[in-house]
Amino acid sequence: MAWWLANPVVGPLLEFAFMRRALIGCVALALSAAPVGVFLMLRRMSLTGDAMAHAILPGAAIGYLIAGLSLTAMTIGGTVAGLIVAVGSGLVARNTVLREDTSLAAFYLLSLALGVLIVSVRGNSVDLLHVLFGSVLALDDAALQLLGGISAVTLVALTLLFRPLVLDCLDPGFLRSVSRWSPVAHYGFLMLVVINLVAGFHALGTLMAVGIMVLPAATARFWVRRLLPMLFTATGLALLAGLSGLLISYHADWPTSPVIVLSLGACYLVSLLLAPHGLLRHQRTAPPQPQP
């Protein structure tokens, strides 16, 4: 037993309950957020995910004002705020001259500024850091139950909506013309994005939540081309980065959420250079260009 406790990988997980809770939270996030991130990438909505991650902040801040650092209040507030921004930006894009990316950017900038203002004025610096950067090392039973519930709902929903989601990624016009599942797939997927961002918000904070959703998907794209292997690869990368980020932050005494996201970023940069579809391998195997 003493050898296991001295092991730099297993020791912290065996010795400290907060490390085990953090690992369980990271596993729940990886199983749900990473597959959602793959579909987000295929729909060319990765920046939309980033915008919506900031959009949940004012709702969570209002929940904080009402009930303090209450998991339920901040979850409900963040979910409502995210849905308002997603639906509101879509309505503006459909009924005005603005494109959806512009309207979404306007909504999320207002939301981010409002949320930071609320927490800064009515809270303190510790509360603001908790909201922006999360508290993955302080997850309690209620938070783990929330993360596990969101993960289960996401996996079931992705299983049920798999075919419509794939068609919506490839040819949304065709899906609208042949099936009534198009609005279900579209708005159901937005709901999955929002609730997974709320889950990531509780563990990693507003500024880091989208990282565990987008970076594994972008990294997996360098390794595989088929959808199912991409889903499994993204999930595996998120699990690996979650574990390595926890251990690195523990041994180096660094903030955990940024280290987890930086671990994902390191996987991305290595894959960008060395993966079969990365920069170096792609250039080496590219067919010669025709000469004039």
Side-chain angles (χ1 to χ4, degrees), residues 32 35-36 39 149-166 181 184-185 187-193 195-196:
S32 59
V36 169
F39 285 103
I150 289 176
S151 180
V153 168
T154 300
L155 292 176
V156 171
L158 288 178
T159 302
L160 295 175
L161 296 175
F162 185 79
R163 289 175 63 86
L165 278 177
V166 172
W181 280 87
V184 176
Y187 290 106
F189 178 72
L190 287 180
M191 182 67 182
L192 291 179
V193 172
I195 64 174
N196 276 277

Side-chain angles (χ1 to χ4, degrees), residues 219 222-223 264-276 278-280:
T219 305
F222 290 125
W223 293 97
L264 289 166
C267 293
Y268 173 83
L269 292 176
V270 170
S271 301
L272 172 65
L273 295 176
L274 303 178
L279 187 62
L280 298 181

Side-chain angles (χ1 to χ4, degrees), residues 39-55:
F39 285 103
L40 202 65
M41 176 187 67
L42 294 178
R43 294 162 68 100
R44 295 179 175 87
M45 292 175 61
S46 296
L47 289 178
T48 299
D50 181 57
M52 291 173 64
H54 294 83

Side-chain angles (χ1 to χ4, degrees), residues 116-179:
V116 172
L117 178 64
I118 292 173
V119 179
S120 300
V121 171
R122 299 300 299 271
N124 55 50
S125 59
V126 175
D127 297 329
L128 181 60
L129 289 175
H130 172 86
V131 169
L132 293 179
F133 299 106
S135 55
V136 68
L137 296 182
L139 295 175
D140 55 14
D141 289 340
L144 291 179
Q145 290 171 4
L146 173 68
L147 294 179
I150 289 176
S151 180
V153 168
T154 300
L155 292 176
V156 171
L158 288 178
T159 302
L160 295 175
L161 296 175
F162 185 79
R163 289 175 63 86
L165 278 177
V166 172
L167 285 174
D168 200 34
C169 292
L170 299 176
D171 193 343
F174 175 75
L175 179 62
R176 285 193 296 267
S177 66
V178 301
S179 174

Side-chain angles (χ1 to χ4, degrees), residues 70-269:
S70 166
L71 182 71
T72 302
M74 295 177 73
T75 298
I76 294 174
T79 303
V80 171
L83 291 176
I84 288 174
V85 169
V87 175
S89 62
L91 291 175
V92 170
R94 286 176 176 83
N95 295 283
T96 69
V97 296
L98 290 181
R99 293 171 60 91
E100 189 167 11
D101 58 341
T102 306
S103 62
L104 183 64
F107 270 86
Y108 106 79
L109 287 170
L110 292 172
S111 298
L112 177 61
L114 177 61
V116 172
L117 178 64
I118 292 173
V119 179
S120 300
V121 171
R122 299 300 299 271
N124 55 50
S125 59
V126 175
D127 297 329
L128 181 60
L129 289 175
H130 172 86
V131 169
L132 293 179
F133 299 106
S135 55
V136 68
L137 296 182
L139 295 175
D140 55 14
D141 289 340
L144 291 179
Q145 290 171 4
L146 173 68
L147 294 179
I150 289 176
S151 180
V153 168
T154 300
L155 292 176
V156 171
L158 288 178
T159 302
L160 295 175
L161 296 175
F162 185 79
R163 289 175 63 86
L165 278 177
V166 172
L167 285 174
D168 200 34
C169 292
L170 299 176
D171 193 343
F174 175 75
L175 179 62
R176 285 193 296 267
S177 66
V178 301
S179 174
R180 291 177 295 182
W181 280 87
S182 178
V184 176
H186 179 73
Y187 290 106
F189 178 72
L190 287 180
M191 182 67 182
L192 291 179
V193 172
V194 171
I195 64 174
N196 276 277
L197 288 173
V198 170
F201 158 78
H202 285 299
L204 303 178
T206 300
L207 297 182
M208 303 292 171
V210 74
I212 201 167
M213 185 177 291
V214 172
L215 284 172
T219 305
R221 189 71 174 82
F222 290 125
W223 293 97
V224 294
R225 283 290 185 259
R226 297 179 63 84
L227 179 57
L228 283 177
M230 194 180 301
L231 291 170
F232 288 115
T233 303
T235 302
L237 288 168
L239 290 171
L240 177 63
L243 175 60
S244 60
L246 282 175
L247 294 173
I248 292 171
S249 68
Y250 170 80
H251 290 293
D253 195 21
W254 290 343
T256 307
S257 297
V259 174
I260 291 176
V261 177
L262 286 173
S263 299
L264 289 166
C267 293
Y268 173 83
L269 292 176

